[in-house]
Amino acid sequence: MFNRITNRLEAECRRIAFAGALLIAPVACLAANPAYQYVRTVGSLGSGDGQFHQPWGVAFDPEGNLWVSDWIGGRLEKFTGDGTFIQSAGSLGSGVGQVNRPTGLAIDSSGNVWVADTNNNRVDEFGTGGSFIQSIGMQGSGNGQFNAPEALAIDQSGNVWVADTSNGRVQEFSGGGAYISQFQLPGRPVDHFTSARGLAIDESGNVWVSDFGMIQKFAPSGTLLQTFNSLGASFGITFDAGGNIWVADENNWQIEQYTPAGILIQKIDSAGSGPGQFEFPTDVAVDSFGNVWLADNFNSRVEEFAPVPEPSSLLLSCWAVMPLAVSCSKLLRARSAAAAQ
């Protein structure tokens, strides 16, 4: 009699456990890879404070402020985390403290802003208050020289890595601007070309390169570790807190999220000029809250997207299953104890 009862209890417990798994698994997925919704637009077409003429790069400083490179406007602009304009840095030109077609941005642990000064074939550093600090490089193909650099990243040691785009390589510099090393990007088929448009460094110090549709992972020594294809012409890339990779796909007018193994998780793809829509996204950044920001190049603005809150009904369902699971566990332990006697 006892065995018949406990057999029925065990079957019921298995049913409850299965139902709980069905409830809990979707919530786990939502927590790890949530959908995103439009939050706000920052900036508009123009040359005034807080305006852009085709912004290119976006990055956050340690204080949570947003920096944007104004590609045609020839300057950098700083905003609070909610999009309020703070200040500008640099001006259009080729002189000291000036920029010409600024593209990728990176910010060091001190809050200093580094920018790929593409048409001036150099990298410039500005202080947190916008003052000019130094320039690195000049046009050429030798060590420490550049040919239209478009992206950069800073590692945990404070070294600056630069995508020397038209020279088909990545170069490493100290925070003081001294040349350290370089590695060439692997060749591509004849119908493609090597063109590093984005750069990011993971927590292990590996260098990730967005190579116009191909995402490549390198050891700091330059050894190729991994390659996967994105959905289109990839430009700026960055990591979120979960280690996933966000890619700005300018060809398909969307941004994409991938696992570190290169598996597509999701994409945000609302082409157009209305709120929450974008055209020719060139860069992407993730803030400390997990919100995703992109440079909407053609629409001359920056847009923010936030994770959609988890459905509370699913969370409540999960909590409802837990007491039943605990009771089942006690019953099954009792059966095991009786069988042992």
Side-chain angles (χ1 to χ4, degrees), residues 104-181:
L105 296 173
I107 301 177
D108 63 27
S109 60
S110 298
N112 295 330
V113 184
W114 298 73
V115 58
D117 190 356
T118 303
N119 277 16
N120 285 329
N121 297 293
R122 64 192 185 195
V123 170
D124 299 319
E125 179 187 8
F126 293 86
T128 58
S131 59
F132 172 77
I133 296 177
Q134 66 172 325
S135 288
I136 298 174
M138 58 179 3
Q139 185 170 16
S141 57
N143 293 346
Q145 297 180 323
F146 303 112
N147 191 357
E150 286 194 16
L152 63 167
I154 299 174
D155 65 23
Q156 294 181 358
S157 299
N159 294 332
V160 182
W161 296 77
V162 183
D164 188 5
T165 305
S166 293
N167 279 330
R169 63 183 179 179
V170 173
Q171 297 193 73
E172 178 189 10
F173 298 82
S174 70
Y179 169 81
I180 297 175
S181 67

Side-chain angles (χ1 to χ4, degrees), residues 226-241:
Q226 177 187 345
T227 296
F228 69 87
N229 292 324
S230 61
L231 295 179
S234 54
F235 274 57
I237 58 175
T238 194
F239 290 97
D240 61 25

Side-chain angles (χ1 to χ4, degrees), residues 273-285:
S273 58
Q277 297 180 318
F278 44 91
E279 301 177 3
F280 198 93
T282 47
D283 199 11
V284 59

Side-chain angles (χ1 to χ4, degrees), residues 15 28 44 75 94 96 112 127 144 178 193 214-215 247 286 300 321 337:
R15 183 189 68 77
S44 60
R75 59 180 176 171
S94 59
V96 174
N112 295 330
F193 59 97
M214 181 182 292
I215 308 300
V247 178
V286 180
S300 292
V321 168

